[in-house]
């Protein structure tokens, strides 16, 4: 999902490398070690988001089971819509919401409220997404998360967003509001985020704070 980080060569003082160059190289090496811990964390979060979108794109609204449906203000209002099944690997997924609204004049636009979804990211990782509101445009293949949402993995990783815009065809995601990603090994907090090239390029902007457990770095170096 994310491109790998290549570690730059380092030297040592007294071997043709100045003290300043050695200091910069050492700092760069430390930064690379930090990224090797943090980037897999980001990759799992991105994969979880696209897993949710894949379910929405494939099944809404044709395969929804609903408790009731009414027409209100020109919209089809589905109460307690739900989807459940298994993917090609036999791993269960599910998604339910309090309401799904479909505009009769714009049938490709689906609004989901109070969403809870569980789906596999890979064979061992399952993601749970809890969101207040999402609007999916099937025609343009865009998803707007208009309110705070969280992504929690069974590995202990948790990401909190206040909003996000996803362009599925373009493979991009962005948010201008703070993002917080935490795992047992690392945490990243930023004021905004931009992702392009289907998650291969991720840019954290504004005031960015990265914390990595030293134990995780030592284990990575073994």
């Amino acid at each position: 999902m994310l491109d790998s980080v290549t570690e730059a060569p380092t030297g040592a003082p007294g071997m043709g490398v100045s003290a300043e160059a050695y200091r910069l190289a050492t700092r760069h090496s430390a930064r690379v070690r930090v990224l090797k811990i943090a980037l897999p964390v980001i990759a799992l979060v991105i994969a979880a988001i696209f897993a949710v979108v894949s379910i929405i794109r494939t099944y809404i609204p044709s395969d929804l089971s609903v408790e009731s449906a009414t027409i209100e203000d020109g919209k089809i209002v589905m109460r307690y819509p739900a989807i459940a099944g298994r993917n090609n690997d036999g791993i269960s997924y599910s998604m339910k919401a309090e309401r799904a609204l479909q505009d009769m004049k714009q049938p490709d636009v689906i609004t989901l409220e109070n969403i809870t979804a569980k789906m596999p990211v890979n064979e061992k990782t399952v993601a749970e997404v809890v969101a207040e509101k999402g609007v999916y445009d099937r025609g343009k293949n865009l998803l707007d998360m208009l309110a705070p949402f969280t992504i929690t993995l069974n590995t202990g990783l948790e990401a909190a967003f206040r909003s996000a815009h996803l362009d599925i065809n373009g493979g991009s995601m962005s948010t201008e509001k703070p993002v917080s990603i935490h795992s047992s090994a690392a945490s990243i907090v930023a004021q905004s985020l931009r992702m392009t090239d289907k998650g291969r390029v991720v840019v954290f902007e504004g005031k960015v704070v990265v914390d990595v457990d030293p134990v995780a770095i030592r284990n990575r170096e073994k």
Side-chain angles (χ1 to χ4, degrees), residues 141-159:
N141 219 6
L142 301 175
L143 176 64
D144 283 300
M145 305 298 285
L146 302 177
F149 66 99
T150 60
I151 301 171
T152 305
L153 305 185
N154 60 341
T155 58
L157 183 152
E158 181 173 329

Side-chain angles (χ1 to χ4, degrees), residues 177-181 188-193 204-209:
K177 296 184 178 180
V179 176
S180 176
I181 302 173
I188 302 172
V189 178
Q191 290 180 314
S192 62
L193 175 150
F204 291 93
E205 297 178 315
K207 184 179 180 181
V208 180
V209 178

Side-chain angles (χ1 to χ4, degrees), residues 52 56 60-61 64 78 81-83 95-102 109-116 131-136 143-146:
V52 174
I56 294 174
I60 288 181
L64 280 176
M78 294 165 273
I83 299 169
M95 188 192 72
K96 59 183 179 180
E98 188 173 300
R99 296 200 310 172
L101 294 83
Q102 185 176 27
V109 178
I110 310 294
T111 300
L112 294 168
E113 298 176 349
N114 296 325
I115 310 155
T116 302
E132 292 182 21
K133 186 176 184 179
V135 178
Y136 178 58
L143 176 64
D144 283 300
M145 305 298 285
L146 302 177

Side-chain angles (χ1 to χ4, degrees), residues 5-198:
V5 178
T6 302
E7 189 165 352
T10 59
M15 297 179 65
V17 180
S18 69
E20 176 66 11
Y22 177 72
R23 183 184 66 80
L24 292 174
T26 302
R27 186 174 66 180
H28 174 76
S29 179
R31 184 180 299 130
V32 169
R33 289 196 296 270
V34 168
L35 290 175
K36 284 181 178 179
I37 300 296
L39 288 180
V41 169
I42 302 167
L44 284 173
V45 170
I46 294 168
I49 292 173
F50 275 92
V52 174
V53 174
S54 176
I55 295 298
I56 294 174
R57 180 175 54 189
T58 303
Y59 296 103
I60 288 181
S62 57
D63 289 350
L64 280 176
S65 64
V66 299
E67 184 174 292
S68 65
T70 58
I71 297 178
E72 301 176 13
D73 299 325
K75 296 181 180 180
I76 300 172
V77 180
M78 294 165 273
R79 307 280 181 180
Y80 301 105
I83 299 169
R86 293 181 181 273
N87 67 5
N88 294 333
D89 296 321
I91 304 175
S92 298
Y93 62 82
S94 65
M95 188 192 72
K96 59 183 179 180
E98 188 173 300
R99 296 200 310 172
L101 294 83
Q102 185 176 27
D103 194 322
M104 297 177 68
K105 294 181 180 180
Q106 295 178 294
D108 280 337
V109 178
I110 310 294
T111 300
L112 294 168
E113 298 176 349
N114 296 325
I115 310 155
T116 302
K118 290 185 179 181
M119 67 281 303
V121 176
N122 53 43
E123 292 182 356
K124 296 181 179 180
T125 307
V126 177
E128 179 176 5
V129 179
V130 177
E132 292 182 21
K133 186 176 184 179
V135 178
Y136 178 58
D137 187 328
R138 292 188 299 172
K140 298 178 180 179
N141 219 6
L142 301 175
L143 176 64
D144 283 300
M145 305 298 285
L146 302 177
F149 66 99
T150 60
I151 301 171
T152 305
L153 305 185
N154 60 341
T155 58
L157 183 152
E158 181 173 329
F161 295 78
R162 295 189 184 180
S163 66
H165 172 77
L166 286 84
D167 180 346
I168 312 307
N169 291 338
S172 65
M173 181 181 76
S174 63
T175 178
E176 299 300 322
K177 296 184 178 180
V179 176
S180 176
I181 302 173
H182 296 272
S183 75
S184 59
S187 68
I188 302 172
V189 178
Q191 290 180 314
S192 62
L193 175 150
R194 288 186 294 110
M195 182 200 77
T196 58
D197 197 16
K198 297 182 179 179

